Amino acid sequence: MKDHHVPAVAAEPAATIFDKILAGQIPCHRVYEDDHVLAFLDVGPLSPGHTLVIPKERKAFLHELSDEAGAAIGRALPRIARAVIEATGATDYNVLQNNGAAAHQAVFHVHFHVIPRRGAQGLEIGWAPRSIDHADAADLAGRLRALLGQSD
Ligand code: DGP
């Protein structure tokens, strides 16, 4: 059966527009850079200050990132969020990270959106929660713990 939940892991991810930004071949409004991370304003912002935070490591999907790149992104995100809310005056914001076309990913280089919410401007979310099935959930959580090397 085709696994439609986890996007395929590409051995050699294709170059994207973000590689050109990383290489300085096309311009961006840079807001942050360190050895592993670049952040710049989204060219199609949902609200002023909408920022993209990307690893320099070229991977299409979050689950492909090395621990080093993941840690660097995790370190940078709160700092960048603090700057975005201070600069824009927004108090509320979303952090969004899309993986796979069905999950709204358009650029296949890992990126986190930091999206200020100002009145009507920002991320619109369709959210349709269902009731948890505790028997299924217990089974699923157990399988996840096993995959993650956690004890039962
Ligand atoms: P996603 O749907 O999560 O893959 O979002 C990709 C985002 O990337 C989208 O909000 C627009 C932004 N984007 C695409 N091309 C460029 C570009 O050349 N420069 C900048 N700054 N942003 C871009």
Side-chain angles (χ1 to χ4, degrees):
M1 190 179 81
K2 192 171 186 311
D3 189 334
H4 56 275
H5 292 296
V6 179
V9 174
E12 192 58 50
T16 71
I17 191 90
F18 290 173
D19 288 288
K20 293 203 165 88
I21 289 176
L22 283 166
Q25 291 165 352
I26 64 168
C28 71
H29 294 284
R30 178 176 51 82
V31 302
Y32 176 85
E33 183 167 16
D34 65 30
D35 288 349
H36 301 283
V37 176
L38 178 70
F40 50 93
L41 297 182
D42 193 297
V43 78
L46 295 180
S47 58
H50 181 164
T51 299
L52 299 176
V53 184
I54 74 170
K56 292 186 174 178
E57 185 173 85
R58 186 202 289 172
K59 296 293 181 191
F61 307 119
L62 181 67
H63 59 270
E64 298 178 318
L65 278 188
S66 66
D67 284 353
E68 189 178 38
I73 288 268
R75 186 167 177 270
L77 272 170
R79 297 178 177 193
I80 293 163
R82 280 193 289 275
V84 169
I85 59 179
E86 187 163 340
T88 62
T91 54
D92 298 0
Y93 62 99
N94 295 95
V95 175
L96 175 70
Q97 202 277 315
N98 300 326
N99 295 276
H104 212 286
Q105 186 176 14
V107 177
F108 288 84
H109 182 123
V110 173
H111 53 281
F112 288 74
H113 299 256
V114 179
I115 310 168
R117 183 78 200 187
R118 294 300 299 276
Q121 291 190 316
L123 179 67
E124 293 298 333
I125 305 176
W127 194 282
R130 292 176 291 179
S131 295
I132 193 167
D133 179 317
H134 287 290
D136 285 351
D139 174 64
L140 183 56
R143 286 189 287 126
L144 288 167
R145 283 194 299 274
L147 286 167
L148 291 164
Q150 302 284 298
S151 58
D152 255 336

